[in-house]
């Protein structure tokens, strides 16, 4: 990736309609978003005032899952698809804090992520941190390019965090995940989080309609549909749960037990 790539990416940023990476950046309090993203973000906040907290909880889930995999399980390679605009701490920082030699390949299809990828790429000298522009719906291309950094004969953590709710069933969401998992060696893990309407069907349906009115796609899924992403894998405790309940640590989510669950399921499972 060169400075010219970054500049060219900047020219490809479409500010005529909202984009998930930039809306998520707005929810997290970032500055890499446009009025069109903020406008939809504010409308969604009117429907569900806690969205910003849900986004923060999703980042905490990422940190706990990555620390667990790099720290407790010895996983040294991470393929993070739908990586988003850099938000510290980024996944490679969490993984490389546990194991400096960890190799991380980021993939996203939004040019704004490429435009900011320079910030992603400053990993440890012992490890490797790379970014490619790619679409999760094109697994053969993504896997081929990822193989430049990732050794698929060794365990990999495939991270699809807050990504699949942008991929409708008409794009064969479950078959796509199965294709990626099929490319992984035994001992690999799938980390996945995905929004659900299980706890507030009406509010989430309003959100989906609000997205659709702006030409954007948002696909909440039920618990059973999210569990199906992990088909054939051995679930790690506590299974697929609202992600604030996935191994909460004191001071960062444990206190939410007993409150309403975060309407995003998260889980980690192992390929045997
Ligand atoms: C909500 S953000 C999640 C970012 C990060 N994974 C996290 O959880 O903090 C979703 C990301 O998925 C990306 N995305 C959406 N559709 C995609 C696709 N078809 N292929 C690759 N990335 C996609 C968006 O550009 C955005 O950066």
């Amino acid at each position: 990736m060169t400075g010219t790539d970054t500049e060219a990416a900047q020219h490809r940023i479409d500010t005529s309609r909202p984009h998930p990476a930039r809306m998520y950046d707005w929810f997290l309090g970032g500055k890499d978003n446009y009025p069109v993203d903020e406008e939809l973000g504010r409308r969604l906040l009117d429907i569900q005032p806690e969205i910003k907290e849900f986004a923060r909880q999703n980042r905490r889930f990422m940190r706990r899952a990555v620390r667990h995999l790099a720290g407790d399980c010895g996983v040294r390679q991470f393929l993070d698809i739908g990586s988003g605009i850099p938000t510290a701490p980024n996944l490679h920082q969490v993984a490389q804090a546990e194991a400096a030699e960890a190799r991380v390949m980021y993939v996203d299809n939004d040019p704004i992520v490429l435009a900011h990828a320079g910030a992603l790429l400053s990993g440890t000298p012992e490890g490797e941190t790379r970014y490619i522009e790619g679409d999760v719906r094109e697994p053969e291309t993504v896997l081929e390019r990822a193989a430049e950094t990732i050794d698929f004969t060794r365990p990999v953590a495939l991270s699809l965090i807050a990504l699949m709710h942008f991929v409708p069933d008409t794009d064969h969401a479950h078959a796509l995940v199965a294709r990626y998992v099929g490319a992984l060696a035994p001992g690999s893990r799938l980390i996945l989080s995905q929004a659900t309407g299980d706890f507030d069907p009406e509010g989430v349906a309003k959100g989906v309609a609000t997205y659709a009115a702006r030409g954007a796609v948002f696909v909440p899924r039920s618990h059973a549909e999210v569990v199906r992403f992990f088909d054939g894998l051995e679930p790690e405790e506590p299974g697929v749960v609202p992600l604030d309940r996935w191994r909460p640590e004191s001071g960062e989510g444990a206190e939410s037990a007993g409150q309403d669950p975060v309407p995003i399921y998260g889980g980690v499972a192992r390929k045997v």
Side-chain angles (χ1 to χ4, degrees):
M1 197 183 73
T2 64
T4 322
D5 293 336
T6 308
E7 240 172 71
Q10 234 134 18
H11 288 298
R12 286 189 285 119
I13 294 170
D14 164 21
T15 57
S16 67
R17 61 185 183 88
H19 278 238
R22 296 161 1 198
M23 288 181 58
Y24 188 61
D25 176 73
W26 185 77
F27 287 133
L28 287 170
K31 299 206 164 21
D32 302 314
N33 50 75
Y34 294 85
V36 70
D37 308 306
E38 178 171 345
E39 192 265 340
L40 176 52
R42 287 193 187 281
R43 280 184 192 269
L44 294 171
L45 271 188
D46 287 343
I47 299 168
Q48 173 45 272
E50 288 182 87
I51 296 183
K52 290 186 175 187
E53 175 57 17
F54 299 159
R56 289 193 288 268
Q57 290 277 1
N58 182 63
R59 294 296 295 176
R60 288 183 196 136
F61 165 72
M62 179 279 285
R63 297 202 290 268
R64 294 195 302 276
V66 170
R67 271 202 304 270
H68 165 61
L69 294 185
D72 309 330
C73 307
V75 177
R76 294 291 176 262
Q77 306 191 95
F78 291 80
L79 174 57
D80 181 39
I81 311 181
S83 52
I85 294 168
T87 305
N90 292 288
L91 187 150
H92 73 280
Q93 294 164 318
V94 179
Q96 291 172 353
E98 297 293 331
E101 72 275 27
R103 302 162 81 81
V104 179
M105 173 61 100
Y106 289 113
V107 183
D108 203 287
N109 71 342
D110 191 324
I112 196 160
V113 181
L114 176 58
H116 292 276
L120 277 175
L121 297 177
S122 52
T124 55
E126 300 91 332
E128 191 166 345
T129 308
R130 290 193 56 197
Y131 173 80
I132 55 170
E133 196 170 359
D135 193 311
V136 70
R137 294 166 298 181
E138 295 168 5
E140 307 315 322
T141 311
V142 170
L143 287 167
E144 192 185 317
R145 296 219 40 215
E148 291 163 19
T149 293
I150 301 284
D151 174 358
F152 283 101
T153 66
R154 300 175 62 83
V156 176
L158 168 66
S159 135
L160 306 177
I161 302 185
L163 167 67
M164 296 311 291
H165 43 237
F166 300 113
V167 182
D169 289 348
T170 46
D171 283 332
H172 313 290
H174 288 85
L176 282 171
V177 174
R179 171 67 189 102
Y180 284 101
V181 169
L184 306 179
S188 293
R189 307 297 205 283
L190 171 64
I191 315 173
L192 184 143
S193 73
Q194 142 86 55
T196 185
D198 283 359
F199 309 114
D200 175 19
E202 268 178 40
V204 172
K206 269 193 213 161
V208 169
T210 307
Y211 263 96
R214 281 154 190 80
V217 174
F218 189 75
V219 191
R221 291 192 169 92
S222 68
H223 186 257
E225 288 170 318
V226 179
V227 167
R228 199 148 69 77
F229 281 125
F230 294 92
D231 264 3
L233 300 175
E234 188 176 83
E236 293 209 5
E237 286 297 322
V240 174
V241 292
L243 50 69
D244 52 317
R245 297 172 190 206
W246 195 91
R247 303 186 183 210
E249 290 169 5
S250 76
E252 72 150 27
E255 67 278 9
S256 68
Q259 295 178 7
D260 289 343
V262 169
I264 310 173
Y265 287 120
V268 174
R270 181 170 185 269
K271 183 165 177 178
V272 282

